[in-house]
Amino acid sequence: MSLNRNRFRRSTAPSAVSLVPVWAGVILIPLMAGCAAPRVATPSLPAAADTAEVVAYPLRGQSERQIRQDRYECYLWAVRQSGYDPAAQGENMHTGTQVVPDPPAGAATVTGAVTGAAVGALVTGPRHGGAGAAVGAVVGALAGANVDAEHQARADAAQARYDASVIEAENRRVEAYRRALSACLDARGYSVR
């Protein structure tokens, strides 16, 4: 008889795994997933061409009034020709577009945690379901965070390509403006640099 009691005691003695309460997994999962989730950096646009300023020296003894008038008329003509207006420099840059990952950041982390918890609970059975769910949720959250990081890296790369194309287009417009302004001033009797 004493042999059967020892078996009974061994089978009912709590193991270290079964002592982990289910609520611990519920609390730890979001905390750990937050640690593993990728950080979203706010991209910034690099600077466009430094200036669209053109230096012009009057060759025909033009008056100050004539220089201002020529400069203004050439400015207007260059803006029409190039589509670039240095006076509206802040409006020329397209800074409002931001590439974001799809699905949104954190979605795979949450999905991985929930799926991992369900699988962990099923694999360990009803006796150790809470501990299995906790471990499965942590593993699933970490795997999901890795997927989120890959999505974010792809979005960051797309943002960098977009930003570079915006800057390149802006620099082409600035250069077209400078060429147009220089041609106009040159035609009106100025040495342009």
Side-chain angles (χ1 to χ4, degrees):
M1 259 304 191
S2 65
L3 194 50
N4 286 337
R5 272 191 248 166
N6 286 339
R7 267 194 199 167
F8 182 71
R9 284 185 188 160
R10 285 186 191 154
S11 64
T12 59
S15 68
V17 175
S18 66
L19 292 177
V20 176
V22 174
W23 59 266
V26 172
I27 292 173
L28 291 175
I29 304 296
L31 291 175
M32 293 183 78
C35 293
R39 293 194 174 127
V40 178
T42 305
S44 61
L45 287 176
D50 291 332
T51 181
E53 188 63 34
V54 173
V55 178
Y57 178 79
L59 295 175
R60 298 181 189 151
Q62 292 96 327
S63 67
E64 231 6 83
R65 182 172 182 256
Q66 184 64 44
I67 292 171
R68 281 194 309 271
Q69 182 178 351
D70 288 343
R71 186 87 179 175
Y72 180 69
E73 289 172 359
C74 286
Y75 156 78
L76 293 176
W77 186 79
V79 168
R80 283 192 306 272
Q81 295 300 309
S82 67
Y84 176 79
D85 186 356
Q89 194 171 13
E91 297 170 14
N92 289 327
M93 296 299 291
H94 303 285
T95 58
T97 302
Q98 182 177 3
V99 177
V100 294
D102 184 35
T109 303
V110 171
T111 303
V114 171
T115 304
V119 170
L122 287 174
V123 169
T124 57
R127 189 165 182 198
H128 303 292
V135 171
V138 169
V139 171
L142 292 174
N146 189 33
V147 171
D148 281 336
E150 290 173 13
H151 288 169
Q152 186 62 48
R154 276 190 242 124
D156 289 345
Q159 183 73 49
R161 286 190 306 274
Y162 174 77
D163 291 346
S165 70
V166 166
I167 296 302
E168 183 181 330
E170 191 70 10
N171 286 339
R172 283 194 305 267
R173 291 174 52 198
V174 169
E175 188 55 37
Y177 169 83
R178 293 176 85 182
R179 280 194 316 270
L181 184 61
S182 296
C184 180
L185 289 171
D186 185 52
R188 291 180 182 228
Y190 294 86
S191 172
V192 181
R193 300 271 180 252

